[in-house]
Amino acid sequence: AQSVTQLDSQVPVFEEAPVELRCNYSSSVSVYLFWYVQYPNQGLQLLLKYLSGSTLVKGINGFEAEFNKSQTSFHLRKPSVHISDTAEYFCAVSDQDSGGYQKVTFGIGTKLQVIP
Amino acid sequence: DTEVTQTPKHLVMGMTNKKSLKCEQHMGHRAMYWYKQKAKKPPELMFVYSYEKLSINESVPSRFSPECPNSSLLNLHLHALQPEDSALYLCATSTDRGTYNEQFFGPGTRLTVL
């Protein structure tokens, strides 16, 4: 089974500063990677996804991520964060079980704390 | 309509109660999922329904009983729960069971078992 590792449990950053949230995945032939955001007391919302093609993926709210096969990484970046970006961010990988059904495995999450 | 709705938003129940969580979508999605999320942890998959048939049961205790009465509805019946079952229960849907499909999440039901 595939897995993802989020290297930072918490990332504090000042407002308007850039941020990078790190994610590494276990190597596989086909990789489908996602970043989700969870605001307090809410469900998860998709920020962006990598299925194939261009390694630079642009998402919502000004976020982007770069798929790096040689480093097995899929780091999330934003050039200038806002207070409203304070949330939990989950990196996830999609895989198929023996029955051919999608199973999504989430990383442990990174809490982004934007400081005014 | 691109929403997944869940009711109730909050639920408090005793260990002898029977209750149900409800999830509804009108996006025409044919795969539906139940996840359990404990505080400060990622979501953990419980069940997957594909075309209204139970496809995956991640060894969930029988006190949790899922049901998919039609393609728009997903229920989770709860009976004789334990305090450690207190968590946020998330419903998600996707177009079908393909590995490349985005999952759309509902806002969750915050369950407290006393």
Side-chain angles (χ1 to χ4, degrees):
Chain A
Q2 298 197 42
S3 63
V4 290
T5 302
Q6 291 184 249
L7 299 162
D8 307 296
S9 59
Q10 287 191 71
V11 173
V13 62
F14 286 104
E15 194 175 15
E16 297 183 9
V19 70
E20 178 180 83
L21 306 184
R22 297 181 293 168
C23 174
N24 286 91
Y25 64 91
S26 57
S27 182
S28 179
V29 174
S30 297
V31 179
Y32 304 106
L33 293 162
F34 305 82
W35 274 100
Y36 284 88
V37 61
Q38 186 175 31
Y39 299 102
N41 299 312
Q42 293 189 29
L44 279 69
Q45 180 183 12
L46 183 73
L47 279 176
L48 47 81
K49 60 186 176 185
Y50 173 78
L51 305 181
S52 64
S54 173
T55 57
L56 184 62
V57 181
K58 293 199 181 293
I60 63 170
N61 301 342
F63 284 93
E64 64 181 32
E66 184 156 17
F67 174 71
N68 188 320
K69 191 172 181 179
S70 62
Q71 298 186 8
T72 61
S73 68
F74 190 54
H75 300 333
L76 182 70
R77 300 187 182 101
K78 186 169 182 178
S80 175
V81 296
H82 302 286
I83 292 288
S84 58
D85 293 322
T86 294
E88 192 82 27
Y89 291 79
F90 292 98
C91 182
V93 62
S94 183
D95 201 353
Q96 230 179 38
D97 74 351
S98 56
Y101 294 97
Q102 181 196 53
K103 289 185 68 171
V104 175
T105 302
F106 292 90
I108 61 168
T110 297
K111 169 78 174 171
L112 175 61
Q113 183 72 44
V114 180
I115 305 162
Chain B
D1 186 353
T2 57
E3 252 192 354
V4 177
T5 59
Q6 289 187 245
T7 54
K9 192 165 181 171
H10 299 277
L11 179 62
V12 179
M13 59 187 290
M15 290 190 284
T16 57
N17 292 156
K18 282 186 182 181
K19 296 286 184 184
S20 296
L21 310 184
K22 180 179 167 182
C23 173
E24 193 165 4
Q25 58 97 6
H26 296 286
M27 294 181 280
H29 288 178
R30 304 312 298 270
M32 299 183 78
Y33 312 79
W34 278 116
Y35 287 90
K36 174 182 177 179
Q37 186 180 25
K38 300 283 276 183
K40 301 189 190 304
K41 298 285 187 186
E44 293 176 9
L45 183 66
M46 299 174 73
F47 303 103
V48 179
Y49 273 83
S50 178
Y51 291 83
E52 294 95 71
K53 286 187 170 44
L54 183 63
S55 305
I56 295 178
N57 177 339
E58 290 288 285
S59 304
V60 179
S62 60
R63 57 185 184 267
F64 295 91
S65 175
E67 179 198 19
C68 190
N70 59 57
S71 60
S72 300
L73 274 177
L74 184 66
N75 299 319
L76 186 63
H77 303 297
L78 314 172
H79 174 55
L81 294 193
Q82 304 296 311
E84 60 264 27
D85 297 321
S86 299
L88 181 68
Y89 288 83
L90 294 163
C91 172
T93 72
S94 63
T95 309
D96 60 31
R97 66 183 197 184
T99 53
Y100 44 82
N101 289 319
E102 166 193 354
Q103 291 189 11
F104 292 79
F105 283 82
T109 294
R110 176 77 58 188
L111 174 68
T112 303
V113 182
L114 301 176

